[in-house]
Amino acid sequence: MSERRTGPRPRWALVAIPIAWIVAVSVIDVLAPPDIHLGPLLVAAPAITPSFGGPRTVGLVAALAVVAQTLIGVIRDPDDLLSANHEAQIIALILVGTSLVVFCVLRERRARELTQVRYVSEVAQRVVLPPLPRKLGPLRASALYLAAEAEARIGGDLYAAARTASGTRLIVGDVQGKGMTAVNDAALLLGAFRVAAHRRADLDELVTYLDRSVCWDLMEPGETSRYGETFITATVLDIPDRDGPVRMISCGHPPPVILRDGRPTTMDVRRPAPPLGLGDLAHPRYHVDSFPFEPGDLLLLYTDGVTEARDTTGAFYPLTDRITGWSGSDPDAFLDRFRRDLLRHVGGHLDDDAAMVVVTRPAPPPA
């Protein structure tokens, strides 16, 4: 990775402002009556420079202020060279200027560290949660991930797709907890899904395998006391390439939404299963729900970070109400519009990670 400059780049037009201030204060102070001293105002010049300049620029402006204060003292008291008052002002300027330079150095070091953290998190996200292919057989797909931790950019929400001989299998999930532990749990589940999605013929067999993976693989060796404490809500779908309903098993996860001709419909499940990782406690019999997915439809899969996003009044994001009337069949365009709308609702900052996957079955071209 090539090192990128992280500190503020000096904008030389703005550097003229503190320099002009130094000149103006110096001229007025020299011409002012002997009992008026404007030298202390020179400290404003280096004080405002960190807002647009780095350590060198701040040091330069501070040095100019010290020179100006020295000249003022020499001109105003030529017989005494420098009075005690001017010496004190010069020392104060040196101390303030030095402190500002140190502050700028520490700020740039912090900025470089944050840049490195963001770079590492972006690489980790591409490894743990690679982008969905834009084409999944005849389907078109796109995914959006919004992390609540701005410096981390990754979290416990997950999604993945796998092609089978007759269609596409999708998973969208949300790991209990936050931080790097949640990221690790998400990575393990995604690995289990990618291994088993091609091999398990039936959807209930796949979900059973994933549940056992969460029960045992996500638990550290010797941590049997945590059995049943680690779980992941998820929705697993099987979408056929040709005409036919979507088959779905929901494990405590928010239901998908079908957007057809601008009208959203929530695909509620009749018998939801417990979250992955709790299967051995609940001994579920997985029920497969199904719903139609016709050409021109948009299928929306999301995590609870979307529907539980709150505005300044505490109101949840009303997903189906907000997307009513939205048209178009481009998943990328839909998610771009959705991102803007969701962030506008919450005022620009999410309290929880949010993920959404959009899948479309393009309508056949007109005859």
Side-chain angles (χ1 to χ4, degrees):
M1 179 190 70
S2 60
E3 184 177 354
R4 290 171 288 181
R5 184 182 179 91
T6 55
R9 297 183 179 180
R11 289 166 283 184
W12 299 111
L14 295 177
V15 175
I17 296 175
I19 294 177
W21 178 261
I22 292 173
V23 173
V25 170
S26 301
V27 172
I28 295 174
D29 197 4
V30 168
L31 300 177
D35 58 336
I36 296 179
H37 298 279
L38 301 180
L41 296 179
L42 290 172
V43 74
I48 66 173
T49 306
S51 62
F52 55 83
R56 294 182 179 180
T57 307
V58 173
L60 173 63
V61 173
L64 291 176
V66 171
V67 171
Q69 183 62 65
T70 303
L71 292 176
I72 291 173
V74 171
I75 295 173
R76 295 197 61 167
D77 299 301
D79 299 331
D80 195 19
L81 191 59
L82 286 177
S83 65
N85 179 47
H86 286 106
E87 289 179 354
Q89 292 180 28
I90 292 172
I91 294 174
L93 278 173
I94 293 174
L95 292 176
V96 171
T98 302
S99 300
L100 290 172
V101 170
V102 172
F103 163 76
C104 289
V105 170
L106 295 177
R107 180 185 63 182
E108 291 200 353
R109 181 181 301 174
R110 173 63 174 166
R112 285 193 296 269
E113 292 174 352
L114 291 179
T115 300
Q116 182 68 16
V117 168
R118 292 190 179 102
Y119 174 79
V120 172
S121 66
E122 288 172 358
V123 173
Q125 184 180 38
R126 287 195 293 269
V127 173
V128 175
L129 198 65
L132 284 181
R134 291 180 176 240
K135 294 183 179 181
L136 296 168
L139 308 177
R140 301 295 180 269
S142 185
L144 170 67
Y145 194 106
L146 298 174
E149 297 292 338
E151 296 180 6
R153 301 192 181 185
I154 55 176
D157 289 8
L158 59 96
Y159 51 78
R163 290 286 297 157
T164 66
S166 60
T168 299
R169 282 181 169 172
L170 282 170
I171 183 172
V172 174
D174 187 0
V175 179
Q176 173 221 16
K178 297 182 179 180
M180 291 309 299
T181 300
V183 176
N184 180 66
D185 293 352
L188 290 173
L189 177 60
L190 289 174
F193 173 80
R194 294 182 181 113
V195 168
H198 308 280
R199 302 178 181 178
R200 305 287 169 168
D202 296 328
L203 201 60
D204 57 344
E205 292 181 359
L206 171 61
V207 176
T208 300
Y209 174 83
L210 296 177
D211 177 76
R212 290 173 180 171
S213 298
V214 175
C215 284
W216 301 109
D217 293 347
L218 301 186
M219 190 181 302
E220 295 293 334
E223 288 187 341
T224 55
S225 61
R226 292 187 61 228
Y227 181 74
E229 296 182 6
T230 301
F231 62 86
I232 302 173
T233 66
T235 297
V236 185
L237 302 97
D238 201 342
I239 307 175
D241 285 344
R242 299 182 179 179
D243 295 338
V246 175
R247 302 173 68 246
M248 170 184 66
I249 294 179
S250 176
C251 301
H253 199 73
V257 174
I258 288 287
L259 186 64
R260 180 176 300 157
D261 298 325
R263 297 189 300 273
T265 304
T266 302
M267 300 292 108
D268 293 315
V269 297
R270 287 183 291 175
R271 296 206 305 264
L276 299 175
L278 302 181
D280 282 356
L281 297 177
H283 303 289
R285 298 182 61 183
Y286 293 109
H287 175 76
V288 179
D289 289 278
S290 62
F291 56 87
F293 184 39
E294 301 176 358
D297 290 352
L298 277 83
L299 171 61
L300 316 179
L301 307 168
Y302 54 93
T303 61
D304 59 9
V306 172
T307 52
E308 294 181 3
R310 297 174 182 265
D311 62 10
T312 55
T313 66
F316 292 121
Y317 181 76
L319 175 61
T320 54
D321 292 341
R322 298 296 283 257
I323 66 175
T324 298
W326 290 17
S327 59
S329 58
D330 183 0
D332 292 326
F334 180 93
L335 285 183
D336 184 62
R337 181 178 181 181
F338 170 78
R339 176 195 283 109
R340 296 195 305 269
D341 190 68
L342 178 63
L343 293 178
R344 187 183 306 115
H345 176 81
V346 299
H349 175 72
L350 291 169
D351 293 326
D352 192 11
D353 296 342
M356 175 177 276
V357 175
V358 176
V359 182
T360 66
R361 188 191 298 278

